[in-house]
Amino acid sequence: MPQNFLNFLASLVSSSPTSPVDQKLAKINTELEKPNYQRTPAFPIHKLPGGLPKANVPEDVDVNAVAQIALDLVKSMKPDDLIEDALWRDLWAMTGTSRTFHSNKSISAAWTETAREHQPHDFKVPPGGAMVMRPGPGVSWVQVKYAYRTSGRPMFTGKGIIRVVPDSEGKWRIWLLISMLDQIPGFPSPDIMAARVLPGHNSPPPTPTSMKSFSDVDYDCVIIGGGMSGLCLAGHLQALKVRYVILDKTSKVGGNWTERYDSVQIHTSRGYGQFPFGTIWGPEYPYHLKTSHLADGYNRYVKENDINMMLSTTAEKTWFDEINKVWTLQLSTGGNVIYMRSRHIVMALGAGGQIPKMPNYPGKDSFKGTILHSKDYRSAKVWEGKRGIVIGSANTAHDITNDMLEAGCSSVTMIQRGATPVLPVECWSGIYDKVYKDDVPVSVSDSMMIPMPTVLQRAMSMMAITKYANEHKDFYDGLEKQGFKVDRYMDLYHCLYERFGGHYIEVGTSKKIIEGKIKVKSDSSISSFTENGLLFADGTTLDADVIVFATGFEGNMREAAEEIVGKEIGEKLDDWWGVDKEGELRGAWRPMAQPNIWFTGGNLGLARFYARYLAMQIKADVEGIPLKVYKGDP
């Protein structure tokens, strides 16, 4: 109902505050003024539309001729130029955000609308930019790399990939289009490290009672969290000459690793875990980086690039000036409370959450031994000769059981509550080591792996994992003989994007389970603690001196962020992680209903790759030419 009509109606009725009409109008007005923020709903990753094409590219194809055809198809972008099941993924170029469109008609409509705004032109294929790809029988395409420019505002240069296939009549059609924001003319390159930009003034910090409006700020961006995601973002902000600071609650650089358990290591490769802007961990480091290696690399990255950090600093409260779009943060540092102003805040609070999940089994007080969550676990060395139990069966649980075994515990048992997806590192390496290598810049490797639509990344990974599992049945059979319930066909992207874990990349502990060195209890659920251990639903018991819960963390960053920004602003924030109906990660690197606040995180590769685009969004806003977000749903 229009507001002016409500006001007119109010003028015709009694002004008495107890008037029923007044009360009804007041209620309607309240509902009109109440903001309606809807968080992005999660969508089942296995139901995402799209897939690999069934097509055969002729052996004698002229790829350069096909490349020119592909450029012409992009310029036209009519429904008939694409296969019916086509996909287009745009990364902060034509849509000003990350979007994935499915079907020839939807893509044609969305491209036409965004092209009208941005006016793309000057499409080119770099030398050697076209090639045939044949990932499997009956599946092949011509891949064409391209670059282009736009004339809209802001102007930008873009790049991407076109994949085309021949139809039954031999006509080439697009089945996949990827477009990515490259650079904005007039901005420094986001990919070349620059000197740090210092705050431009020394005005006194405000107090909460004096906060009204501000003509200047201390920083353009405050990053809360100094882990991998925060440090990667800081590097790109610095390259773009954005004034920033990282706030980290730990007392040392790399504290997010050194304050975890001693035996922690990255289960993926050294090459995959690199920082942007040059190699930090060279061939002198092991394939799997451990705590000391990680801390050393973090410190070198910060020192060599002069990254601006405030350690032992906690963000306690924030206020947002809606008129001037400026944040004020209340910080605790060095025993003092200080205030800081910033145009943007980025939450980099940790990949898997900070609040431990702790099942509440009865009888906990009766147990005479030690109980702790993996969050508080450091080392098993003090438990030599004791009986150890670990509840959980994912990466952390495997690390801790192995640590107990190595420390000389008299018995080590893993309590498995459900089937666990297991992927031997040899399979992971067979996929990723071909791309992430010491002699290839990590930015180049990322651009080959990450921009693909989620549905295609998932399909390609499952093809490789299924093939490996079928060729290595003895490994999985050996686990099952020891009572370990294994999901041998891991849905890697379900684990990474929906569960945020729950899987194990085998780096040696599975072999010790197969050898019987680590026992597994999986045939009955836990009923309660006893004085000496655990009682199970089938009536059996298991004695222990120490029980560690490797049961994960609450993974929604929104909840942790709300503790800082307050409930009112927290209501405007999107949920963290899981995919939307297009396969894009929710809450990650994209604008939300509350302006000037962002989330970043994810695994090492995602945090590194998307930091570039988040930095460019912040830079564009600071310069007064924010990216225009396309919200159409064609």
Side-chain angles (χ1 to χ4, degrees):
M1 188 177 295
Q3 184 67 47
N4 57 356
F5 176 75
L6 292 173
N7 294 336
F8 170 74
L9 186 61
S11 69
L12 300 179
V13 300
S14 168
S15 60
S16 166
T18 59
S19 165
V21 177
D22 274 351
Q23 293 175 12
K24 189 170 184 178
L25 283 171
K27 183 177 181 181
I28 294 173
N29 273 310
T30 300
E31 291 300 317
L32 283 172
E33 294 170 2
K34 186 177 180 180
N36 181 24
Y37 303 116
Q38 293 186 347
R39 298 193 182 102
T40 305
F43 189 86
I45 196 169
H46 69 278
K47 292 185 177 181
L48 290 172
L52 297 173
K54 295 180 180 179
N56 286 302
V57 175
E59 294 290 340
D60 59 350
V61 65
D62 183 343
V63 293
N64 292 321
V66 174
Q68 187 56 53
I69 293 172
L71 289 187
D72 293 339
L73 293 175
V74 172
K75 295 173 188 177
S76 169
M77 201 62 87
K78 297 176 181 177
D80 192 50
D81 296 327
L82 303 100
I83 68 170
E84 186 175 344
D85 200 34
L87 290 162
W88 169 32
R89 190 175 192 214
D90 182 75
L91 298 178
W92 288 274
M94 304 297 287
T95 66
T97 184
S98 60
R99 297 285 305 269
T100 301
F101 303 95
H102 172 255
S103 88
N104 56 346
K105 292 181 180 178
S106 293
I107 293 170
S108 176
W111 179 271
T112 300
E113 289 184 58
T114 56
R116 190 181 301 120
E117 178 76 38
H118 292 291
Q119 304 169 44
H121 63 279
D122 198 18
F123 287 84
K124 295 180 179 178
V125 177
M131 62 182 296
V132 178
M133 302 190 73
R134 304 181 189 276
V139 180
S140 59
W141 57 78
V142 174
Q143 175 167 293
V144 181
K145 295 180 180 180
Y146 71 100
Y148 67 103
R149 295 186 294 152
T150 68
S151 299
R153 179 175 170 83
M155 292 189 295
F156 64 85
T157 60
K159 61 182 180 180
I161 292 171
I162 314 164
R163 290 179 176 174
V164 293
V165 293
D167 64 14
S168 59
E169 298 177 356
K171 179 181 177 181
W172 292 96
R173 299 177 190 268
I174 296 172
W175 78 270
L176 173 64
L177 175 67
I178 297 172
S179 50
M180 298 178 283
L181 174 63
D182 188 20
Q183 295 194 26
I184 298 176
F187 288 8
S189 170
D191 307 313
I192 301 174
M193 182 61 73
R196 175 156 57 92
V197 180
L198 299 174
H201 62 89
N202 295 308
S203 58
T207 63
T209 56
S210 70
M211 289 186 302
K212 292 182 179 178
S213 64
F214 310 107
S215 60
D216 53 6
V217 293
D218 298 302
Y219 293 99
D220 298 317
C221 182
V222 169
I223 304 167
I224 303 177
M228 178 75 171
S229 58
L231 290 170
C232 287
L233 175 60
H236 285 292
L237 289 173
Q238 188 161 312
L240 288 164
K241 298 188 182 299
V242 173
R243 296 176 300 167
Y244 74 91
V245 64
I246 297 176
L247 311 177
D248 196 77
K249 64 183 180 181
T250 63
S251 60
K252 296 180 180 179
V253 175
N256 61 312
W257 289 108
T258 58
E259 293 186 7
R260 297 181 67 190
Y261 54 93
D262 295 347
S263 61
V264 69
Q265 66 175 357
I266 293 181
H267 290 194
T268 52
S269 70
R270 177 188 70 243
Y272 184 75
Q274 292 288 352
F275 279 104
F277 307 104
T279 300
I280 289 293
W281 294 283
E284 69 274 16
Y285 286 90
Y287 185 86
H288 298 294
L289 298 173
K290 298 183 182 296
T291 301
S292 59
H293 309 133
L294 293 164
D296 176 55
Y298 275 49
N299 275 278
R300 286 201 296 114
Y301 175 81
V302 169
K303 184 177 181 180
E304 291 175 6
N305 296 307
D306 193 26
I307 300 297
N308 190 27
M309 293 187 73
M310 290 178 61
L311 297 170
S312 301
T313 301
T314 303
E316 296 183 333
K317 296 180 183 178
T318 64
W319 297 264
F320 186 67
D321 177 356
E322 291 282 355
I323 297 174
N324 295 286
K325 308 301 181 188
V326 172
W327 292 94
T328 296
L329 298 89
Q330 177 180 307
L331 312 178
S332 174
T333 181
N336 300 312
V337 174
I338 65 171
Y339 296 88
M340 180 181 289
R341 292 173 296 195
S342 178
R343 296 196 185 280
H344 292 266
I345 292 176
V346 177
M347 299 290 179
L349 302 177
Q354 298 178 324
I355 303 171
K357 291 181 180 178
M358 192 78 168
N360 187 22
Y361 299 120
K364 181 178 179 180
D365 293 339
S366 66
F367 179 59
K368 296 179 179 179
T370 301
I371 300 172
L372 70 160
H373 190 273
S374 63
K375 181 179 186 294
D376 302 310
Y377 174 79
R378 291 293 175 268
S379 172
K381 293 178 181 178
V382 296
W383 299 329
E384 183 180 358
K386 295 185 179 293
R387 299 162 296 179
I389 287 178
V390 177
I391 299 174
S393 55
N395 281 321
T396 298
H398 281 77
D399 282 352
I400 295 174
T401 53
N402 184 66
D403 196 33
M404 287 179 170
L405 184 68
E406 295 296 314
C409 287
S410 60
S411 67
V412 181
T413 305
M414 180 184 293
I415 308 298
Q416 188 184 33
R417 298 173 297 167
T420 305
V422 175
L423 182 69
V425 71
E426 292 83 4
C427 178
W428 188 95
S429 301
I431 300 170
Y432 286 87
D433 284 0
K434 297 174 183 177
V435 179
Y436 290 93
K437 300 183 288 187
D438 289 334
D439 58 348
V440 177
V442 72
S443 59
V444 173
S445 301
D446 284 343
S447 67
M448 295 170 63
M449 297 293 289
I450 299 177
M452 275 201 304
T454 299
V455 64
L456 298 182
Q457 293 187 52
R458 177 174 176 268
M460 296 289 283
S461 73
M462 292 194 72
M463 283 176 59
I465 289 170
T466 299
K467 182 175 183 294
Y468 183 92
N470 288 337
E471 293 173 352
H472 296 80
K473 293 181 179 180
D474 290 347
F475 167 76
Y476 297 100
D477 290 345
L479 283 172
E480 290 178 344
K481 287 179 181 178
Q482 296 296 335
F484 188 96
K485 296 179 179 178
V486 62
D487 176 0
R488 48 182 85 195
Y489 301 110
M490 177 191 287
D491 187 340
L492 181 60
Y493 282 82
H494 165 68
C495 295
L496 295 177
Y497 286 4
E498 292 183 313
R499 292 191 64 183
F500 217 118
H503 63 292
Y504 175 55
I505 295 182
E506 155 64 347
V507 293
T509 306
S510 288
K511 293 176 183 176
K512 295 176 182 179
I513 292 174
I514 292 171
E515 294 167 356
K517 296 176 180 178
I518 296 171
K519 305 297 182 182
V520 178
K521 174 73 173 175
S522 63
D523 56 357
S524 185
S525 60
I526 298 172
S527 290
S528 67
F529 288 94
T530 67
E531 287 187 2
N532 300 313
L534 294 172
L535 171 67
F536 293 85
D538 62 1
T540 60
T541 59
L542 189 60
D543 291 345
D545 300 299
V546 58
I547 299 175
V548 179
F549 283 80
T551 44
F553 297 81
E554 299 293 342
N556 195 340
M557 196 186 300
R558 181 185 63 78
E559 297 174 1
E562 190 173 285
E563 294 293 318
I564 300 171
V565 301
K567 187 169 182 60
E568 182 177 349
I569 289 178
E571 288 295 322
K572 303 179 188 179
L573 305 182
D574 219 342
D575 284 318
W576 169 255
W577 227 240
V579 300
D580 63 16
K581 64 180 181 179
E582 296 179 352
E584 299 298 329
L585 287 161
R586 300 184 305 154
W589 315 292
R590 299 193 287 177
M592 294 183 276
Q594 170 63 44
N596 295 33
I597 187 170
W598 313 81
F599 289 158
T600 185
N603 67 26
L604 303 178
L606 298 178
R608 177 181 57 238
F609 178 77
Y610 288 109
R612 179 186 194 274
Y613 296 102
L614 177 51
M616 293 187 76
Q617 292 174 87
I618 292 171
K619 174 67 173 180
D621 180 77
V622 168
E623 296 297 332
I625 48 173
L627 303 185
K628 295 180 181 179
V629 177
Y630 174 67
K631 298 181 180 179
D633 190 12

